[in-house]
Amino acid sequence: MKGLLRLNLLVSVVFVLAFVLTLFGLIRQGEKDIEREIGASIHFAEQMIEAAQYDPSRLQPLLNGNTRHIHFYLNHLPTAYDRDNDVPAWFSDLLQPKGAFVARPWRYPLMNGELLYVVAMPDDEIDEVWESALMLAGLFLGGALLSNLMIFWGVRQGMKPISQILETLEQEKSGRFCTRLQHYSMPEADQLADHFNRMAEALEQEQHGNRQLTKQLMELQESERTRLAHTLHDDLGQYVTGIRAQAYMICQAADQQQVVEKTAERIVGHCDEMQKSFRHLIRDLHPVILHQLGLKDALCNLAEQWQESSGIPVNLEMAQTLPELEPERAGHVYRLVQEALHNVTRHAQATTAELSLVLNGPRLQLRVIDNGCGLMPQSMPGIGMRSMHERARYLGGVLQLESVSGGGTKISLSMPVEAP
């Protein structure tokens, strides 16, 4: 409302300035018109006086006051002039300042010895200018009132969508994005409401997606904990139990050299297997090799181990030199490739795969391609694909998934070398 008041005040000031300028022009034009009318009346009076010199009867109508703009007086001037208009004195002074026609009566001596006085009386002209000024003031006042009323109505109508948007935003601050704005008669307001509704719909979908992602992350966390517990219990635990039993056997058969040697060999074998399991588990939990060898060698090692475990040959295409990425960003690239290869193992039913990482100007281009069964049109992205999209967003890159049912899958990532 403060803005509306300022707008109304500005419009009023503009109307006042326009009225003052127009009134100034009207007064200046009125002065010129009065001078012209009085001059013409004086010229007419001179002709009438000249005619009355020879015919005194013509002088009487002049003395009766039937003339306009000038009055005739014989032998003497009145002490005061009768004025029948209601024009304020200040306005008359603007059109008839001191030293003008009223202060300077003309005197004409007649042939009979009498003296005729001619006094200019521009009251009629001043009254006309005053009426025009009053009409002008009324027009400007009406225009200002009508303009302010229309501005008030228009702004109130235009503020309705904004008020509703503010109310809706207050509701959505609490996390409720289900409210939608109605359609409006104004095209601009309707377009704003349409954009707002699409934004609210996108936020609602994003909120739903975040809830699903949180649920899947919690399920994945429990699944990883369960898998880790099973690995420790079924694999490492069994090896530890076997080593303990075999160590006890060595203690019991210390005098039997052959039994001790065979048992010691089994213990060494179990230790080797347990070490492999530990390395595999540590590699899944944290890629230590990434910090030791760099991204390029770490990806090559990952592809080699994945090929051994899955039995699917991998064609590698790596740039000769790659820029050194920050450890955290390199870790996201590594995990993204790891997740993509994991999806190939679980879902693709592929016989070959391709992994490429090349440098294209200031951007890195990563591709993981397989010749598997592809994705069905109605398939929904799982937690793995969601995590890859989130990693790509963190890297400031664009992740694209191209898949045709029965035609394989291609995952492409284009990311800047420098951190965004």
Side-chain angles (χ1 to χ4, degrees), residues 95-116:
L95 295 173
Q96 182 181 272
K98 294 180 180 180
F101 306 108
V102 175
R104 297 186 324 133
W106 279 262
R107 294 182 300 176
Y108 293 92
L110 299 179
M111 295 179 63
N112 57 6
E114 294 181 323
L115 188 63
L116 183 65

Side-chain angles (χ1 to χ4, degrees), residues 79-358:
T79 56
Y81 302 105
D82 295 332
R83 300 182 184 273
D84 55 355
N85 56 17
D86 297 327
V87 180
W90 63 268
F91 192 80
S92 297
D93 293 339
L94 289 176
L95 295 173
Q96 182 181 272
K98 294 180 180 180
F101 306 108
V102 175
R104 297 186 324 133
W106 279 262
R107 294 182 300 176
Y108 293 92
L110 299 179
M111 295 179 63
N112 57 6
E114 294 181 323
L115 188 63
L116 183 65
Y117 291 92
V118 180
V119 180
M121 300 293 291
D123 294 349
D124 292 340
E125 289 295 328
I126 294 176
D127 188 62
E128 290 180 2
V129 178
W130 174 250
E131 291 178 356
S132 299
L134 290 179
M135 184 180 298
L136 184 67
L139 289 175
F140 272 92
L141 180 61
L145 290 176
L146 182 61
S147 298
N148 284 321
L149 288 176
M150 292 303 297
I151 289 174
F152 180 80
W153 179 82
V155 172
R156 287 292 297 271
Q157 291 296 114
M159 288 295 291
K160 283 183 178 179
I162 298 179
S163 300
Q164 293 185 358
I165 289 176
L166 292 176
E167 293 177 0
T168 306
L169 288 175
E170 288 294 329
Q171 296 178 4
E172 294 187 352
K173 283 172 60 177
S174 59
R176 300 192 303 269
F177 302 107
C178 57
T179 308
R180 299 293 184 270
L181 294 176
Q182 61 183 0
H183 291 283
Y184 300 96
S185 57
M186 292 185 295
E188 295 81 4
D190 190 65
Q191 187 178 7
L192 178 63
D194 183 60
H195 282 290
F196 181 87
N197 290 338
R198 282 187 289 176
M199 180 188 69
E201 183 178 358
L203 290 174
E204 187 177 15
Q205 293 178 356
E206 190 71 18
Q207 184 186 52
H208 178 72
N210 288 338
R211 289 174 178 171
Q212 294 295 324
L213 181 60
T214 302
K215 179 181 178 182
Q216 292 176 352
L217 287 175
M218 294 176 66
E219 293 175 352
L220 180 62
Q221 184 182 35
E222 292 300 322
S223 175
E224 286 296 316
R225 288 177 176 177
T226 302
R227 184 181 69 84
L228 183 59
H230 286 169
T231 300
L232 293 176
H233 179 271
D234 298 338
D235 192 359
L236 302 179
Q238 294 296 329
Y239 285 129
V240 172
T241 302
I243 291 173
R244 181 182 179 185
Q246 290 162 358
Y248 178 78
M249 184 179 297
I250 290 177
C251 293
Q252 296 298 320
D255 54 345
Q256 301 179 18
Q257 184 66 26
Q258 187 176 4
V259 175
V260 171
E261 290 179 357
K262 291 182 178 180
T263 305
E265 291 177 359
R266 287 197 294 269
I267 290 176
V268 172
H270 288 171
C271 288
D272 291 338
E273 294 295 329
M274 188 168 61
Q275 188 177 18
K276 291 180 181 179
S277 298
F278 263 117
R279 288 176 178 175
H280 182 73
L281 180 62
I282 291 173
R283 186 176 61 250
D284 287 343
L285 295 177
H286 182 70
V288 180
I289 191 174
L290 180 64
H291 303 289
Q292 296 175 345
L293 303 179
L295 179 61
K296 177 181 177 180
D297 293 335
L299 291 179
C300 292
N301 182 266
L302 174 64
E304 181 181 351
Q305 292 180 353
W306 179 82
Q307 178 174 305
E308 292 177 359
S309 61
S310 64
I312 302 174
V314 181
N315 298 322
L316 291 177
E317 181 185 356
M318 292 288 173
Q320 294 295 329
T321 57
L322 289 175
E324 184 177 353
L325 300 179
E326 297 176 359
E328 187 174 5
R329 303 183 75 231
H332 283 293
V333 175
Y334 182 89
R335 290 299 189 186
L336 192 148
V337 174
Q338 189 180 41
E339 182 62 36
L341 294 176
H342 184 61
N343 287 340
V344 173
T345 305
R346 290 195 303 175
H347 308 296
Q349 301 177 9
T351 58
T352 60
E354 179 183 339
L355 171 62
S356 67
L357 180 64
V358 296

